[in-house]
Amino acid sequence: MHKIPNIAVIRLALYAKHLEMLHNDGVELVSSVKLAKMCGANPAQIRKDLAYFGQFGVRGVGYYVNDLLNALKEVMGTNRTWRLGLFGVGNLGKALLGFEQFAQRGFIFTAAFDKDIDLVGTEVQGMEISQSEDIKEVIKGPGCFDIAVLATGADRAQDCAMRIVEAGIHAILNFTPVRLVVPENVFVENVDFTVRLHALCYSLTTGSDVTQRHPR
């Protein structure tokens, strides 16, 4: 597993997304050509990526949508519900809470934290907002979560990250511009919208498409 390129794992999520769309439309069988076209990839790339994890599909026939979708979910660990804890209930945080595809894809917010005393103790989407200092107490109850979603101000990001780590959480989805310093056994996925905006600006300025239409 350690020899699998990171980008191949990212592409698996893209394949699963489109397979789920096909499944919802009642499609039972899909060719590698059609799946590749949907994903903006090529059939050979899909076959290569899938081969890292096993043998899928029938030569000359294609892939059984439901079987491949379930197999990819098992590989990625998304065949279960994952609980999320939100840090920072500002504009971005509230937008993330309202993003319906999280729940549709098995990601459920179970806890919310903020430094604003006026917000602490109030409710958002049925969850009581707590202070990040209380994380260890919160995760002992219904607010227990698996993945931290960090949407605080930059000035509080590292401090919150350390509290998250100290509470025993090993995965952080980081929406702040701060590159977090965490132990090696803590996984951090950085989401920086400005980087993507810079890519768009470059493409508009030069006419050269460097955007990430699809992971390659």
Side-chain angles (χ1 to χ4, degrees):
M1 294 292 287
H2 67 279
K3 295 181 180 180
I4 298 169
N6 291 345
I7 192 62
V9 178
I10 294 174
R11 284 193 293 259
L12 285 191
L14 181 65
Y15 304 155
K17 173 184 175 181
H18 287 286
L19 285 167
E20 191 157 18
M21 292 170 60
L22 290 170
H23 174 71
N24 292 339
D25 288 339
V27 177
E28 297 183 358
L29 192 67
V30 63
S31 67
S32 59
V33 173
K34 181 176 179 179
L35 182 59
K37 185 176 181 180
M38 293 177 68
C39 297
N42 64 71
Q45 183 67 71
I46 290 181
R47 290 192 291 270
K48 181 179 179 181
D49 289 341
L50 294 179
Y52 286 119
F53 303 94
Q55 297 297 319
F56 303 97
V58 179
R59 183 180 295 274
V61 177
Y63 302 102
Y64 289 98
V65 172
N66 193 52
D67 290 347
L68 181 55
L69 176 59
N70 288 336
L72 293 186
K73 284 184 175 181
E74 184 173 354
V75 166
M76 295 184 293
T78 55
N79 55 346
R80 51 158 288 187
T81 297
W82 290 92
R83 300 162 297 181
L84 309 178
L86 174 67
F87 289 77
V89 193
N91 292 332
L92 176 57
K94 290 176 181 176
L96 293 171
L97 288 174
F99 188 53
E100 295 181 353
Q101 287 196 29
F102 278 138
Q104 292 172 0
R105 298 184 183 281
F107 300 97
I108 308 297
F109 282 100
T110 56
F113 302 85
D114 201 277
K115 69 172 184 178
D116 190 339
I117 299 301
D118 292 333
L119 288 177
V120 173
T122 64
E123 287 195 359
V124 56
Q125 294 196 6
M127 297 178 292
E128 181 176 338
I129 300 175
S130 305
Q131 298 185 69
S132 60
E133 290 84 349
D134 298 329
I135 179 175
K136 290 184 179 180
E137 290 301 317
V138 172
I139 62 176
K140 291 179 181 178
C144 183
F145 59 91
D146 310 292
I147 300 172
V149 179
L150 195 56
T152 66
D155 60 326
R156 286 184 53 79
Q158 183 61 48
D159 178 64
C160 277
M162 294 314 300
R163 293 183 186 279
I164 290 166
V165 171
E166 290 168 3
I169 304 301
H170 293 274
I172 302 174
L173 182 61
N174 178 29
F175 282 90
T176 79
V178 177
R179 287 301 176 260
L180 304 173
V181 179
V182 296
E184 290 186 0
N185 65 340
V186 176
F187 305 106
V188 177
E189 187 71 29
N190 296 303
V191 181
D192 192 336
F193 297 128
T194 61
V195 171
R196 304 272 55 88
L197 285 170
H198 288 163
L200 285 170
C201 291
Y202 178 85
S203 295
L204 287 171
T205 301
T206 65
S208 176
D209 188 357
V210 296
T211 59
Q212 293 186 348
R213 297 175 184 269
H214 300 290
R216 292 182 174 87

